[in-house]
Amino acid sequence: MNRELTSDLVIIGGGIGGCTAALAAAKMGLRVLMTEETAWIGGQLTSQAVPPDEHRWIESFGCTRSYREFRKRVRDYYRRNFPLTQEAAGNDRLNPGNGNVSRLCFDPRVGLAVLEEMLAPYTQSGRITVLNHYRIAKAETDGDAIRSVTVAHTLTSDELHLSAPYFIDATECGDLLPLAGVEYVTGAESRQDTGEPHALTGQAMPQNMQAFTYCYAVDYAEGEDHPIERPKDYAFWRAYQADFWPDRMLSWRYPEPISLKPVHVTLLPDGSGRYPFFHYRRITDRTNFAAGTFTADTSIINWPQNDYWLGSVIDVSEEERQRHLESAKQLSLSLLYWMQTEAPRADGKAGYPGLRLRHDVVGTEDGLAMAPYIRESRRIRSEFTILEQHIGTEARQGAMAESFFDSVGIGAYRIDLHPTTGGQTFLDISSLPFQIPLGSLIPVRVKNVLPACKNIGTTHITNGCYRLHPVEWNIGEAAGYLVSYCKKNEATPHDVRANQVHLAAFQTMLDQQGIERAWPVITPL
């Protein structure tokens, strides 16, 4: 069955940036069509099962008003629906999982419920239509504009033809860009091209991209027995060792990141060891809840040991893409099987059979997240590209990050790059709290397309700190508000940045909507 739908805005991708773009546009009166490949909207927060990576000031400042509202609603959801202990219920900074990675680690199902609650006034009124299980198939263009896109249902043969004056690419890999002929870059630029201190010294490598990961949830009960079936590729992953890895992939050790102080890494589910990885992305700490509510803690497994870098899923054939996706799943399952059956224990035994794969937490039959956690996307060739020289602490020689005249938001995170398909190891270097320039959201040519996530105009290096949850949330919001401003004022995104009157009015609009655009004087990360 083929149908045609029209709207004011079509958003391809229902991740964090897609959701916030839809919220912003609908709030300003636009009708929105938003597609999502999986059963869950929310991307990193839900279908990818990645607890929020946030900066240390997040409870007080450094994010948009709506992101703070999301965090508040997550805590309120637990207070309304779970039997919290008196101490947990009274903690205005409740962290349900007490994970180390974030001040707010929560079950992805809670994140989904909260996002759907925030969208509800608009989905139920018909202003936002969410089309789950649809993936973009093709795009129709006319000169410097997109006229329509065709999306295909991932479970049936149905197709939808979607048209609108504006389109937003909020896919995890920037999938709209090649289909619509939008200029973009991939992989690692060379130092000759960007001048970045940590860029490649040789030629650019378009297929040199960060690892992606299939996350999953587990809990643990000593004395119980929950081993999964031996993965078909277990022998390969059991023997695999990268050149830059200090041991075999399936071990308790991983390499020290470049520019990071030495880390003594041991990971044990029973809490022993020098670095408590099991607690790092813990999303349920049973001590926060009334006795008997949970019999065990639940943690997300998103570790160096299940990062997959043996190939890219961007700009390759569909056959190769599927092969790498399946291999990444096999790696994640092999890590679990190794932990259950062979992993060395502090007590001298081998394996933790009490580790249980929690299919229910991620909503899938295989127990892996619905979608892989993609760290690096296609990136638009934009009017302005963010370089390490704009935000890197070393590159800035300790000064504040570059102040952008066209700022549409802010973010903060270290420049954090995982191993790459080109064989590079971790890169972790200090950065300065930064701004999001409007120029990084505007394609060099195409007039009616905007990015809404990690597909903005960064480099391989600066993507390492612009790819996290609060920043993607802000990027999506800015894109949604920009479309509404352009429609109301009969301007293009290029006009808004180029015209001082338009830019000032748009930035005032963002200020009124609670989007912080500048940092106070604070320290590097």
Side-chain angles (χ1 to χ4, degrees):
M1 180 177 66
N2 296 335
R3 289 187 295 156
E4 295 188 4
L5 301 175
T6 61
S7 193
D8 297 316
L9 170 63
V10 169
I11 300 173
I12 306 299
I16 297 176
C19 287
T20 58
L23 279 168
K27 184 178 181 180
M28 304 307 292
L30 270 59
R31 295 175 298 110
V32 180
L33 295 170
M34 181 174 75
T35 67
E36 165 53 35
E37 290 187 37
T38 73
W40 290 359
I41 60 171
Q44 293 181 69
L45 293 169
T46 60
S47 62
Q48 297 170 37
V50 184
D53 286 293
E54 300 173 335
H55 55 74
R56 60 177 175 265
W57 307 284
I58 196 68
E59 300 287 1
S60 303
F61 56 87
C63 66
T64 73
R65 182 192 299 155
S66 67
Y67 185 72
R68 185 160 290 112
E69 174 66 16
F70 170 81
R71 299 177 87 255
K72 177 181 180 298
R73 288 189 185 215
V74 166
R75 287 168 169 152
D76 288 346
Y77 186 94
Y78 277 95
R79 293 189 180 98
R80 292 196 315 269
N81 296 289
F82 289 83
L84 298 173
T85 64
Q86 184 175 357
E87 180 182 2
N91 182 0
D92 63 353
R93 295 190 175 184
L94 170 67
N95 188 347
N98 284 327
N100 306 59
V101 73
S102 173
R103 289 158 178 80
L104 188 61
C105 292
F106 51 87
D107 191 301
R109 293 170 294 185
V110 174
L112 175 64
V114 171
L115 281 173
E116 289 181 336
E117 181 181 81
M118 294 178 74
L119 286 169
Y122 307 108
T123 55
Q124 294 189 22
S125 67
R127 192 170 290 176
I128 295 176
T129 300
V130 179
L131 302 167
N132 288 98
H133 298 295
Y134 278 95
R135 182 183 180 193
I136 186 165
K138 58 186 176 181
E140 180 181 346
T141 62
D142 180 9
D144 294 338
I146 296 179
R147 295 306 176 204
S148 67
V149 297
T150 300
V151 294
H153 199 280
T154 59
L155 306 178
T156 71
S157 59
D158 289 353
E159 288 189 343
L160 296 176
H161 302 286
L162 312 178
S163 59
Y166 283 91
F167 295 82
I168 284 179
D169 184 341
T171 62
E172 299 300 322
C173 294
D175 292 333
L176 173 61
L177 305 181
L179 295 173
V182 180
E183 291 81 359
Y184 67 91
V185 296
T186 62
E189 297 89 348
S190 73
R191 190 176 303 175
Q192 182 178 354
D193 292 334
T194 67
E196 295 172 299
H198 288 89
L200 295 178
T201 55
Q203 293 183 335
M205 297 176 64
Q207 279 293 315
N208 185 32
M209 304 178 199
Q210 287 189 72
F212 67 91
T213 306
Y214 268 102
C215 306
Y216 53 97
V218 296
D219 59 18
Y220 176 70
E222 183 66 30
E224 295 188 7
D225 194 17
H226 300 288
I228 62 172
E229 183 178 344
R230 179 185 169 104
K232 63 181 178 64
D233 293 347
Y234 182 69
F236 172 82
W237 290 114
R238 184 67 185 85
Y240 177 75
Q241 180 176 354
D243 293 338
F244 55 83
W245 210 262
D247 203 337
R248 287 180 299 181
M249 186 80 166
L250 303 186
S251 72
W252 291 136
R253 300 177 63 208
Y254 79 96
E256 299 167 2
I258 295 174
S259 301
L260 186 65
K261 294 179 180 179
V263 176
H264 300 283
V265 178
T266 304
L267 160 61
L268 299 177
D270 56 17
S272 60
R274 303 183 66 175
Y275 190 73
F277 265 4
F278 190 76
H279 298 161
Y280 190 54
R281 287 188 168 89
R282 185 173 57 183
I283 57 173
T284 301
D285 179 355
R286 64 187 182 278
T287 65
N288 275 329
F289 304 87
T293 305
F294 294 98
T295 58
D297 296 349
T298 304
S299 184
I300 297 295
I301 306 303
N302 176 15
W303 297 343
Q305 291 92 331
N306 62 326
D307 278 356
Y308 180 86
W309 57 74
L310 295 190
S312 166
V313 293
I314 293 175
D315 290 347
V316 297
S317 68
E318 183 61 21
E319 180 183 7
E320 184 173 352
R321 175 178 174 271
Q322 291 298 332
R323 178 167 58 84
H324 288 309
L325 290 173
E326 175 59 25
S327 294
K329 289 184 175 183
Q330 285 291 305
L331 169 58
S332 285
L333 292 171
S334 293
L335 173 60
L336 174 59
Y337 185 77
W338 175 81
M339 289 193 292
Q340 291 174 325
T341 61
E342 295 190 59
R345 297 171 54 128
D347 59 10
K349 299 179 182 179
Y352 294 87
L355 281 171
R356 179 175 59 155
L357 185 60
R358 292 290 302 274
H359 301 252
D360 56 317
V361 172
V362 296
T364 62
E365 291 186 9
D366 63 10
L368 302 176
M370 289 183 181
Y373 174 30
I374 301 291
R375 294 182 177 87
E376 190 168 341
S377 171
R378 298 176 180 90
R379 306 182 295 274
I380 64 165
R381 288 197 180 276
S382 53
E383 286 201 335
F384 182 84
T385 302
I386 305 160
L387 306 176
E388 182 183 351
Q389 296 92 306
H390 298 130
I391 60 171
T393 303
E394 179 185 347
R396 302 285 298 173
Q397 298 183 344
M400 292 187 69
E402 185 80 18
S403 178
F404 298 122
F405 75 93
D406 59 345
S407 173
V408 294
I410 56 177
Y413 203 75
R414 290 176 65 84
I415 295 175
D416 172 21
L417 274 69
H418 285 234
T420 70
T421 54
Q424 294 174 296
T425 189
F426 293 90
L427 175 67
D428 185 283
I429 56 177
S430 176
S431 68
L432 296 151
F434 52 79
Q435 295 176 318
I436 305 166
L438 177 59
S440 68
L441 274 67
I442 301 178
V444 291
R445 178 183 60 84
V446 180
K447 304 300 183 184
N448 67 338
V449 176
L450 294 171
C453 45
K454 58 183 73 69
N455 51 354
I456 65 170
T458 58
T459 64
H460 174 72
I461 298 295
T462 55
N463 165 74
C465 59
Y466 276 79
R467 64 180 173 83
L468 286 311
H469 307 61
V471 183
E472 182 175 333
W473 186 289
N474 192 151
I475 292 167
E477 272 197 275
Y481 284 126
L482 181 57
V483 170
S484 65
Y485 180 90
C486 288
K487 280 200 48 84
K488 180 180 179 180
N489 292 278
E490 298 183 350
T492 68
H494 299 76
D495 295 335
V496 173
R497 184 169 185 259
N499 183 289
Q500 291 185 356
V501 174
H502 275 316
L503 181 60
F506 176 58
Q507 289 177 318
T508 298
M509 175 185 180
L510 296 181
D511 295 340
Q512 292 169 344
Q513 298 304 322
I515 293 183
E516 299 176 21
R517 297 187 300 104
W519 284 96
V521 177
I522 47 183
T523 57
L525 285 91

Short mmCIF file of all heavy atoms in Angstrom, two decimals, residues 3-44:
data_model
loop_
_atom_site.label_atom_id
_atom_site.label_comp_id
_atom_site.label_asym_id
_atom_site.label_seq_id
_atom_site.Cartn_x
_atom_site.Cartn_y
_atom_site.Cartn_z
N ARG A 3 0.85 5.51 0.12
CA ARG A 3 0.04 6.68 0.47
C ARG A 3 0.89 7.92 0.37
O ARG A 3 2.12 7.87 0.47
CB ARG A 3 -0.50 6.56 1.90
CG ARG A 3 -1.58 5.51 2.09
CD ARG A 3 -2.15 5.62 3.51
NE ARG A 3 -1.15 5.29 4.51
CZ ARG A 3 -1.18 5.71 5.77
NH1 ARG A 3 -2.13 6.54 6.18
NH2 ARG A 3 -0.25 5.34 6.63
N GLU A 4 0.23 9.06 0.21
CA GLU A 4 0.92 10.34 0.19
C GLU A 4 0.44 11.18 1.37
O GLU A 4 -0.76 11.31 1.61
CB GLU A 4 0.65 11.08 -1.13
CG GLU A 4 1.23 10.36 -2.34
CD GLU A 4 1.12 11.20 -3.61
OE1 GLU A 4 0.67 12.37 -3.50
OE2 GLU A 4 1.47 10.69 -4.68
N LEU A 5 1.41 11.73 2.12
CA LEU A 5 1.11 12.58 3.27
C LEU A 5 1.85 13.89 3.13
O LEU A 5 3.01 13.92 2.67
CB LEU A 5 1.53 11.88 4.57
CG LEU A 5 0.89 10.52 4.89
CD1 LEU A 5 1.50 9.92 6.15
CD2 LEU A 5 -0.61 10.66 5.04
N THR A 6 1.23 14.96 3.51
CA THR A 6 1.87 16.28 3.46
C THR A 6 1.84 16.91 4.85
O THR A 6 0.99 16.60 5.67
CB THR A 6 1.16 17.22 2.47
OG1 THR A 6 -0.20 17.41 2.90
CG2 THR A 6 1.16 16.63 1.07
N SER A 7 2.78 17.80 5.07
CA SER A 7 2.86 18.46 6.37
C SER A 7 3.70 19.73 6.23
O SER A 7 4.20 20.04 5.14
CB SER A 7 3.49 17.51 7.40
OG SER A 7 3.31 18.00 8.71
N ASP A 8 3.86 20.46 7.33
CA ASP A 8 4.73 21.63 7.32
C ASP A 8 6.20 21.23 7.42
O ASP A 8 7.08 21.93 6.95
CB ASP A 8 4.40 22.55 8.50
CG ASP A 8 3.00 23.12 8.43
OD1 ASP A 8 2.60 23.54 7.34
OD2 ASP A 8 2.31 23.13 9.47
N LEU A 9 6.44 20.09 8.08
CA LEU A 9 7.81 19.63 8.34
C LEU A 9 7.82 18.11 8.37
O LEU A 9 6.99 17.50 9.03
CB LEU A 9 8.30 20.19 9.69
CG LEU A 9 9.61 19.63 10.24
CD1 LEU A 9 10.78 19.97 9.32
CD2 LEU A 9 9.86 20.18 11.65
N VAL A 10 8.78 17.54 7.67
CA VAL A 10 9.02 16.10 7.74
C VAL A 10 10.36 15.88 8.43
O VAL A 10 11.38 16.46 8.04
CB VAL A 10 9.04 15.46 6.33
CG1 VAL A 10 9.57 14.02 6.41
CG2 VAL A 10 7.66 15.48 5.72
N ILE A 11 10.33 15.06 9.48
CA ILE A 11 11.54 14.72 10.22
C ILE A 11 11.82 13.24 9.99
O ILE A 11 11.00 12.38 10.30
CB ILE A 11 11.38 14.99 11.73
CG1 ILE A 11 11.07 16.47 11.96
CG2 ILE A 11 12.64 14.57 12.49
CD1 ILE A 11 10.74 16.80 13.42
N ILE A 12 12.99 12.94 9.45
CA ILE A 12 13.40 11.56 9.22
C ILE A 12 14.30 11.15 10.38
O ILE A 12 15.41 11.62 10.53
CB ILE A 12 14.15 11.41 7.89
CG1 ILE A 12 13.32 11.96 6.73
CG2 ILE A 12 14.50 9.94 7.65
CD1 ILE A 12 11.99 11.26 6.53
N GLY A 13 13.77 10.28 11.24
CA GLY A 13 14.52 9.82 12.41
C GLY A 13 13.87 10.31 13.68
O GLY A 13 13.70 11.51 13.87
N GLY A 14 13.55 9.37 14.57
CA GLY A 14 12.86 9.71 15.81
C GLY A 14 13.73 9.60 17.04
O GLY A 14 13.23 9.28 18.12
N GLY A 15 15.03 9.83 16.88
CA GLY A 15 15.92 9.83 18.04
C GLY A 15 15.74 11.08 18.88
O GLY A 15 14.74 11.79 18.77
N ILE A 16 16.74 11.38 19.71
CA ILE A 16 16.63 12.53 20.60
C ILE A 16 16.40 13.80 19.80
O ILE A 16 15.46 14.56 20.06
CB ILE A 16 17.90 12.68 21.46
CG1 ILE A 16 18.07 11.48 22.38
CG2 ILE A 16 17.82 13.97 22.29
CD1 ILE A 16 19.36 11.51 23.19
N GLY A 17 17.26 14.07 18.81
CA GLY A 17 17.13 15.30 18.03
C GLY A 17 15.85 15.37 17.24
O GLY A 17 15.25 16.44 17.09
N GLY A 18 15.40 14.23 16.72
CA GLY A 18 14.13 14.21 15.99
C GLY A 18 12.96 14.55 16.89
O GLY A 18 12.08 15.34 16.52
N CYS A 19 12.95 13.97 18.09
CA CYS A 19 11.86 14.24 19.04
C CYS A 19 11.83 15.70 19.46
O CYS A 19 10.75 16.32 19.52
CB CYS A 19 12.00 13.35 20.27
SG CYS A 19 11.59 11.62 19.98
N THR A 20 13.00 16.28 19.74
CA THR A 20 13.00 17.66 20.21
C THR A 20 12.72 18.64 19.08
O THR A 20 12.11 19.69 19.30
CB THR A 20 14.32 18.00 20.91
OG1 THR A 20 15.42 17.78 20.02
CG2 THR A 20 14.51 17.15 22.15
N ALA A 21 13.13 18.30 17.86
CA ALA A 21 12.77 19.13 16.71
C ALA A 21 11.26 19.12 16.53
O ALA A 21 10.64 20.16 16.26
CB ALA A 21 13.47 18.63 15.45
N ALA A 22 10.65 17.94 16.67
CA ALA A 22 9.20 17.84 16.53
C ALA A 22 8.48 18.62 17.62
O ALA A 22 7.51 19.34 17.36
CB ALA A 22 8.78 16.37 16.58
N LEU A 23 8.96 18.51 18.86
CA LEU A 23 8.36 19.25 19.97
C LEU A 23 8.43 20.75 19.74
O LEU A 23 7.44 21.48 19.94
CB LEU A 23 9.06 18.89 21.28
CG LEU A 23 8.63 17.59 21.95
CD1 LEU A 23 9.61 17.23 23.06
CD2 LEU A 23 7.22 17.72 22.52
N ALA A 24 9.59 21.23 19.33
CA ALA A 24 9.76 22.67 19.12
C ALA A 24 8.86 23.17 18.00
O ALA A 24 8.19 24.20 18.14
CB ALA A 24 11.23 22.98 18.82
N ALA A 25 8.86 22.45 16.89
CA ALA A 25 8.05 22.89 15.74
C ALA A 25 6.56 22.85 16.07
O ALA A 25 5.81 23.78 15.74
CB ALA A 25 8.36 22.01 14.54
N ALA A 26 6.12 21.78 16.73
CA ALA A 26 4.70 21.66 17.07
C ALA A 26 4.29 22.73 18.08
O ALA A 26 3.18 23.27 18.01
CB ALA A 26 4.42 20.27 17.64
N LYS A 27 5.17 23.02 19.01
CA LYS A 27 4.88 24.06 20.00
C LYS A 27 4.62 25.40 19.32
O LYS A 27 3.81 26.22 19.80
CB LYS A 27 6.04 24.17 20.98
CG LYS A 27 5.82 25.16 22.11
CD LYS A 27 7.01 25.15 23.07
CE LYS A 27 6.80 26.12 24.22
NZ LYS A 27 7.94 26.12 25.16
N MET A 28 5.28 25.63 18.19
CA MET A 28 5.12 26.89 17.46
C MET A 28 4.03 26.81 16.40
O MET A 28 3.89 27.71 15.58
CB MET A 28 6.46 27.28 16.81
CG MET A 28 7.62 27.38 17.79
SD MET A 28 7.29 28.46 19.22
CE MET A 28 7.20 30.06 18.42
N GLY A 29 3.25 25.73 16.41
CA GLY A 29 2.07 25.65 15.55
C GLY A 29 2.22 24.86 14.28
O GLY A 29 1.25 24.77 13.49
N LEU A 30 3.36 24.24 14.02
CA LEU A 30 3.56 23.51 12.77
C LEU A 30 3.00 22.09 12.88
O LEU A 30 2.93 21.52 13.96
CB LEU A 30 5.05 23.44 12.42
CG LEU A 30 5.60 24.59 11.56
CD1 LEU A 30 5.42 25.93 12.25
CD2 LEU A 30 7.09 24.35 11.27
N ARG A 31 2.62 21.55 11.73
CA ARG A 31 2.22 20.15 11.62
C ARG A 31 3.46 19.34 11.22
O ARG A 31 4.16 19.71 10.28
CB ARG A 31 1.12 19.96 10.59
CG ARG A 31 -0.20 20.63 10.96
CD ARG A 31 -1.22 20.50 9.83
NE ARG A 31 -0.76 21.16 8.61
CZ ARG A 31 -0.40 20.52 7.50
NH1 ARG A 31 -0.46 19.20 7.45
NH2 ARG A 31 0.01 21.19 6.44
N VAL A 32 3.69 18.25 11.94
CA VAL A 32 4.95 17.51 11.79
C VAL A 32 4.68 16.04 11.52
O VAL A 32 3.85 15.41 12.18
CB VAL A 32 5.81 17.64 13.07
CG1 VAL A 32 7.11 16.86 12.92
CG2 VAL A 32 6.09 19.11 13.39
N LEU A 33 5.41 15.49 10.54
CA LEU A 33 5.48 14.05 10.32
C LEU A 33 6.87 13.58 10.74
O LEU A 33 7.87 14.13 10.27
CB LEU A 33 5.26 13.70 8.85
CG LEU A 33 3.89 14.00 8.25
CD1 LEU A 33 3.93 13.81 6.73
CD2 LEU A 33 2.83 13.08 8.85
N MET A 34 6.95 12.62 11.65
CA MET A 34 8.25 12.11 12.10
C MET A 34 8.30 10.59 11.94
O MET A 34 7.45 9.87 12.44
CB MET A 34 8.50 12.48 13.56
CG MET A 34 9.86 12.01 14.08
SD MET A 34 10.25 12.59 15.76
CE MET A 34 9.16 11.51 16.73
N THR A 35 9.31 10.12 11.22
CA THR A 35 9.49 8.69 11.04
C THR A 35 10.49 8.14 12.06
O THR A 35 11.34 8.88 12.57
CB THR A 35 10.00 8.36 9.63
OG1 THR A 35 11.33 8.88 9.47
CG2 THR A 35 9.09 8.96 8.57
N GLU A 36 10.39 6.86 12.34
CA GLU A 36 11.34 6.19 13.24
C GLU A 36 11.46 4.74 12.79
O GLU A 36 10.46 4.06 12.57
CB GLU A 36 10.87 6.26 14.69
CG GLU A 36 11.56 5.33 15.66
CD GLU A 36 13.08 5.42 15.64
OE1 GLU A 36 13.61 6.53 15.44
OE2 GLU A 36 13.73 4.38 15.82
N GLU A 37 12.70 4.25 12.66
CA GLU A 37 12.92 2.90 12.14
C GLU A 37 12.48 1.81 13.10
O GLU A 37 12.09 0.72 12.69
CB GLU A 37 14.40 2.71 11.79
CG GLU A 37 14.87 3.50 10.59
CD GLU A 37 16.29 3.15 10.19
OE1 GLU A 37 16.66 1.97 10.30
OE2 GLU A 37 17.02 4.06 9.77
N THR A 38 12.58 2.06 14.40
CA THR A 38 12.29 1.03 15.40
C THR A 38 10.90 1.23 15.99
O THR A 38 10.15 2.13 15.59
CB THR A 38 13.34 1.06 16.53
OG1 THR A 38 13.11 2.21 17.34
CG2 THR A 38 14.75 1.10 15.97
N ALA A 39 10.59 0.42 17.01
CA ALA A 39 9.31 0.54 17.71
C ALA A 39 9.32 1.67 18.73
O ALA A 39 8.26 2.08 19.21
CB ALA A 39 8.97 -0.78 18.41
N TRP A 40 10.50 2.18 19.10
CA TRP A 40 10.62 3.19 20.14
C TRP A 40 11.23 4.47 19.60
O TRP A 40 12.27 4.43 18.92
CB TRP A 40 11.52 2.70 21.27
CG TRP A 40 10.96 1.61 22.13
CD1 TRP A 40 9.74 1.02 22.03
CD2 TRP A 40 11.63 0.97 23.22
NE1 TRP A 40 9.59 0.06 22.99
CE2 TRP A 40 10.74 0.00 23.75
CE3 TRP A 40 12.88 1.12 23.81
CZ2 TRP A 40 11.07 -0.81 24.84
CZ3 TRP A 40 13.21 0.30 24.89
CH2 TRP A 40 12.31 -0.64 25.40
N ILE A 41 10.62 5.60 19.88
CA ILE A 41 11.28 6.88 19.66
C ILE A 41 12.30 7.09 20.79
O ILE A 41 12.25 6.42 21.81
CB ILE A 41 10.27 8.05 19.65
CG1 ILE A 41 9.53 8.13 21.01
CG2 ILE A 41 9.30 7.91 18.49
CD1 ILE A 41 8.68 9.38 21.17
N GLY A 42 13.23 8.01 20.59
CA GLY A 42 14.14 8.37 21.67
C GLY A 42 15.59 8.06 21.48
O GLY A 42 16.44 8.52 22.25
N GLY A 43 15.93 7.24 20.49
CA GLY A 43 17.34 7.03 20.16
C GLY A 43 18.21 6.59 21.31
O GLY A 43 17.97 5.56 21.94
N GLN A 44 19.24 7.38 21.59
CA GLN A 44 20.20 7.02 22.63
C GLN A 44 19.51 6.76 23.97
O GLN A 44 19.91 5.87 24.72
CB GLN A 44 21.23 8.14 22.81
CG GLN A 44 22.15 8.35 21.62
CD GLN A 44 23.16 9.46 21.87
OE1 GLN A 44 24.05 9.33 22.69
NE2 GLN A 44 22.99 10.59 21.17
#
